Amino acid sequence: MHVAIIMDGNGRWAARRGLPRTAGHVQGAKVVRRIVEAAARADIATLTLYAFSCDNWGRPPGEVATLLRLLRRYLLAETSYCAENLVRVNVIGRRDRLSPDLLRAIEHSERMTAKGSRLHLRIAVDYSARHSILQAARRALPGGASGAETEFLQLMNEVNHSALATQGVDLLIRTGGEKRLSDFLLWECAYAELYFTDCLWPDFDEDGLHQALRDYAGRQRRFGRLPQAADAAI
Ligand code: FPP
């Protein structure tokens, strides 16, 4: 099962306590630790977390710096836990705008955890789904996309299996009360079940994850087909 999470609400969590927004991100990073452990316990195969979007560069420089510092700190602190607990870490998104320090931490973490087979943890950093689909299409077409006669959807099916290299999302969770995808895993969420909760990310916990998983278990996934009973009645 692939679960993806848009971790929203850090800023509001901090504002409600009269704290700077960055304090919300610090608390949010602690919750990441707990949810990764809970996901491994819940036998989730892949967990993709939206940590920093391409559009987040537009936030105040101090907030951007805090977010990227927290990411680096997280990778440095958690790599040994991940390696010991068979959690494979990958960072998805652009790498050309990240600092050498953060890049080193990412590469170190990916190398040290490469053998992890229990949970695949993917952290989206400088990530935009539209950008990643375009990049994947460019890679899939030798010589570039121009003049290609391939039908776009056919091409993108290829892309999905090769260059994007990820299974579809089964359950997308968004905390913080907003109901939108914010340029996250647009291709992979084609048939994802969506779960929105008002809980702010720093307040999210293992119980919240289990509640989302229970809700998902009650959904009927049809992938555009008829429910099984109706299928048999034809
Ligand atoms: C959205 O909340 C959250 C983010 C932009 C960043 C998410 C980052 C973390 C949870 C911490 C670092 C991540 C890792 C993997 C260690 P917001 O700031 O938009 O909240 P608001 O909507 O209440 O303003």
Side-chain angles (χ1 to χ4, degrees):
M1 181 178 183
H2 182 177
V3 175
I5 308 185
I6 300 176
M7 309 179 287
D8 197 12
N10 294 348
R12 278 165 287 164
W13 182 92
R16 282 177 197 175
R17 287 161 178 77
L19 299 168
R21 293 177 54 79
T22 47
H25 297 315
V26 170
Q27 188 60 28
K30 290 182 187 156
V31 172
V32 168
R33 261 173 220 167
R34 295 204 288 269
I35 293 301
V36 168
E37 290 168 11
R41 279 194 291 272
D43 284 334
I44 289 168
T46 306
L47 177 68
T48 306
L49 301 176
Y50 206 1
F52 188 86
S53 75
C54 289
D55 292 326
N56 286 153
W57 289 110
R59 295 195 177 198
E63 183 169 345
V64 169
T66 298
L67 279 169
L68 297 176
R69 198 168 44 242
L70 283 171
L71 275 164
R72 180 166 170 272
R73 247 192 242 160
Y74 175 84
L75 292 169
L76 294 177
E78 293 301 293
T79 293
S80 52
Y81 162 84
C82 290
E84 279 159 26
N85 290 278
L86 302 179
V87 176
R88 175 156 69 101
V89 179
N90 276 124
V91 172
I92 60 169
R94 295 181 61 160
R95 296 206 176 181
D96 56 315
R97 304 191 288 192
L98 303 181
S99 72
D101 272 3
L102 180 53
L103 276 176
R104 263 196 301 278
I106 291 171
E107 284 160 12
H108 177 254
S109 192
E110 289 182 335
R111 211 171 36 247
M112 299 301 286
T113 63
K115 292 205 174 82
S117 53
R118 185 169 176 210
L119 169 68
H120 186 191
L121 170 63
R122 305 188 326 143
I123 305 177
V125 179
D126 199 3
Y127 178 86
S128 147
R130 287 177 298 181
H131 182 267
S132 106
I133 291 168
L134 276 176
Q135 285 295 102
R138 283 194 192 114
R139 279 201 298 275
L141 275 182
S146 60
E149 289 169 15
T150 328
E151 295 236 341
F152 187 67
L153 269 178
Q154 198 182 327
L155 164 69
M156 292 312 293
N157 273 330
E158 282 299 308
V159 164
N160 198 24
H161 295 303
S162 54
L164 285 174
T166 173
Q167 61 177 121
V169 171
D170 297 298
L171 171 64
L172 176 93
I173 299 171
R174 181 175 187 136
T175 61
E178 312 284 358
K179 296 181 179 64
R180 53 177 172 255
L181 291 180
S182 302
D183 203 7
F184 187 45
L185 302 176
L186 299 181
W187 185 268
E188 295 88 339
C189 279
Y191 281 103
E193 296 294 327
L194 309 180
Y195 179 87
F196 300 104
T197 169
D198 288 336
C199 177
L200 303 176
W201 176 252
D203 291 327
F204 198 68
D205 59 11
E206 187 160 12
D207 278 353
L209 179 67
H210 287 164
Q211 212 171 312
L213 292 171
R214 275 196 300 276
D215 187 278
Y216 169 81
R219 308 266 183 108
Q220 187 185 52
R221 303 194 76 195
R222 291 166 48 182
F223 301 97
R225 298 187 291 263
L226 295 178
Q228 269 181 348
D231 222 3
I234 291 173

